[in-house]
Amino acid sequence: MTALIPEQAVPANPGSRLPVTRRVLDGVLRSRLTAALTTPHGVDRYLERFHPMWAAHDVRARIVSVHRENPSSDAAPVATLTLQPTTSWRGHRAGQHVLVGVELPGSARRLTRAFSISSPASAPGEQITLTIRAHAEGQVSSYLVSEARPGMILHLSQAQGEFTLAESPATPTANHLLFLTGGSGITPAMSMVRTLLRDGYDGHAGRRVTFLHYARSPEDQIFAEELAAIAAADNGVDVHLRHGDQTFNELELRRLVPDFRNTDTWLCGPAGLVELVTEAYTDRDGVLAPRLRMEFFKPLVARAARGDQDVTGEVAFARSGLSAPADGTSLLEQAEALGLGPEHGCRMGICFSCTRTKAAGTTRNLLTGEESSLPDEEIRICVTAAAGDCQIDL
């Protein structure tokens, strides 16, 4: 799907917003001559020594404010960080995510994790927000939620991902949009809804938005006050919040959106929700509705076994000289079990920081079940498992 950026969100010539002297300076800092003069460290390593928010290529962000969403709740804590990126930030499309790098106290290396952007689509250099839920096993999320303070500097990637809003009031192509989310999966959908409302969507042209969200409890509900205000406004957005035992079922969806399989749908949430929704969107011939877009939190398949047949074969990590029998777990997990420490981010297959080259052999994508025996293929080792003998450049 080709995503359309709302015309109001990103100017045709982003650089035109900068003063002439700044544009000239940026051109010099990003020139080949400057790159040659600052080899091997690069110009950004020198700029960072003068000021952490000076950058020609890298993206960093200063935390402007921290809003803790549920400080008095027993639910997992959630915080919204407002970030001011460096001028190297190119903006984002609603629904995209960003890789956040932090140096934790006592850690000798930078840890990187992926978080969805919760604010509306941004132009280059504009502020963005990240709404992060702390997870017990998540070092980065727990640190940011509990320790983030205004003035702290974070390392960012440029915005990534194709789970994006392809609709704006300037480009009306559909009469109904549907957002199906669970837990923290609400954040990219909120970015999309906020973008629509900011850019003039009001539902008065016969178009409609349905927002169906599932949370463990009312205390776990993110953006509760804002969603209540959206639901009460005359804006064409129907909000339906389900808590606790109110799990997804096709009958309710059919009542809310009778023609849901032919409705542009964005689905984001935990594996259980994704499985139920994809079943509902699959017809009798096993064909998944093409208008369903999905973002995963974790692989839906735990092993690469087909039916009752166990995986056999050997996984060879060529550069390290190590190998292990294929066991059906992800190649990242197998590498870590051997003591290797490959770079990785989200462990969900969306950030691409764990991409490695498969030199030979057969692998299986844990998200789609698709197998491939192509040589010299780029694969994401966090969501790929061996389906036989294979050799990885690691």
Side-chain angles (χ1 to χ4, degrees):
M1 176 189 70
T2 301
L4 302 176
I5 305 176
E7 293 177 2
Q8 300 92 327
V10 180
N13 181 12
S16 63
R17 289 188 170 186
L18 298 175
V20 173
T21 53
R22 181 55 187 272
R23 296 205 302 271
V24 172
L25 178 59
D26 283 351
V28 172
L29 292 175
R30 293 167 182 162
S31 68
R32 292 182 180 179
L33 176 60
T34 301
L37 291 173
T38 56
T39 299
H41 302 294
V43 65
D44 284 327
R45 297 288 77 75
Y46 293 97
L47 291 173
E48 189 176 15
R49 290 178 176 270
F50 289 97
H51 195 288
M53 289 295 287
W54 290 359
H57 303 285
D58 294 349
V59 182
R60 290 183 288 276
R62 175 175 51 85
I63 298 179
V64 176
S65 64
V66 180
H67 174 68
R68 291 183 168 83
E69 303 283 345
N70 54 351
S72 60
S73 170
D74 292 331
V78 178
T80 293
L81 313 183
T82 300
L83 307 179
Q84 175 58 63
T86 52
T87 56
S88 49
W89 172 252
R90 295 196 291 263
H92 82 283
R93 290 175 286 163
Q96 288 190 301
H97 62 271
V98 66
L99 303 183
V100 179
V102 297
E103 286 93 14
L104 301 184
S107 175
R109 62 191 181 96
R110 182 185 302 166
L111 297 180
T112 303
R113 294 295 182 267
F115 298 104
S116 295
I117 302 170
S118 55
S119 49
S122 67
E126 287 187 345
Q127 290 186 0
I128 60 172
T129 63
L130 304 179
T131 301
I132 301 170
R133 185 188 297 276
H135 295 281
E137 70 281 5
Q139 289 179 285
V140 176
S141 65
S142 296
Y143 174 77
L144 290 175
V145 170
S146 63
E147 302 299 330
R149 297 291 184 273
M152 287 177 58
I153 302 296
L154 304 179
H155 298 266
L156 301 185
S157 70
Q158 296 289 354
Q160 300 178 1
E162 294 302 320
F163 182 74
T164 55
L165 181 65
E167 283 289 323
S168 83
T171 58
T173 60
N175 291 324
H176 198 165
L177 310 180
L178 171 60
F179 299 99
L180 279 169
T181 60
S184 298
I186 195 173
T187 51
M190 280 301 293
S191 177
M192 298 181 201
V193 170
R194 286 168 167 172
T195 300
L196 285 167
L197 294 175
R198 180 198 66 185
D199 292 351
Y201 177 86
D202 59 11
H204 293 159
R207 301 173 67 214
R208 185 176 159 214
V209 172
T210 298
F211 198 144
L212 177 57
H213 176 72
Y214 296 86
R216 292 179 180 178
S217 66
E219 294 74 26
D220 272 289
Q221 179 65 59
I222 307 176
F223 312 120
E225 292 184 6
E226 183 177 356
L227 288 169
I230 291 173
D234 180 20
N235 53 23
V237 180
D238 300 323
V239 178
H240 304 274
L241 304 181
R242 302 291 181 262
H243 300 136
D245 295 333
Q246 295 177 295
T247 56
F248 171 84
N249 69 79
E250 184 178 339
L251 291 178
E252 182 188 33
L253 179 60
R254 192 177 299 280
R255 177 178 62 82
L256 295 174
V257 186
D259 193 25
F260 66 87
R261 287 198 185 102
N262 293 314
T263 300
D264 286 304
T265 305
W266 287 262
L267 165 65
C268 186
L273 174 66
V274 172
E275 286 180 307
L276 291 172
V277 175
T278 52
E279 287 178 8
Y281 276 75
T282 302
D283 65 19
R284 295 178 180 177
D285 297 323
V287 178
L288 187 65
R291 292 194 176 186
L292 176 65
R293 296 103 161 151
M294 294 181 284
E295 185 100 293
F296 299 93
F297 278 178
K298 59 183 67 176
L300 299 180
V301 184
R303 295 183 55 83
R306 289 166 289 180
D308 296 328
Q309 181 182 358
D310 289 332
V311 175
T312 58
E314 191 83 357
V315 180
F317 298 100
R319 272 190 285 165
S320 65
L322 300 176
S323 63
D327 64 5
T329 61
S330 72
L331 292 169
L332 173 59
E333 293 173 283
Q334 290 216 252
E336 290 177 329
L338 290 172
L340 300 176
E343 181 183 352
H344 63 277
C346 62
R347 290 184 179 266
M348 299 179 287
I350 63 176
C351 74
F352 291 85
S353 62
C354 69
T355 299
R356 294 293 184 276
T357 301
K358 178 191 69 181
T362 302
T363 53
R364 187 182 187 202
N365 186 305
L366 293 172
L367 299 178
T368 65
E370 182 180 358
E371 293 188 0
S372 174
S373 299
L374 295 173
D376 299 319
E377 180 181 22
E378 296 293 300
I379 60 173
R380 292 165 289 165
I381 61 174
C382 75
V383 291
T384 302
D389 292 329
C390 66
Q391 185 181 80
I392 310 300
D393 184 24
L394 180 63

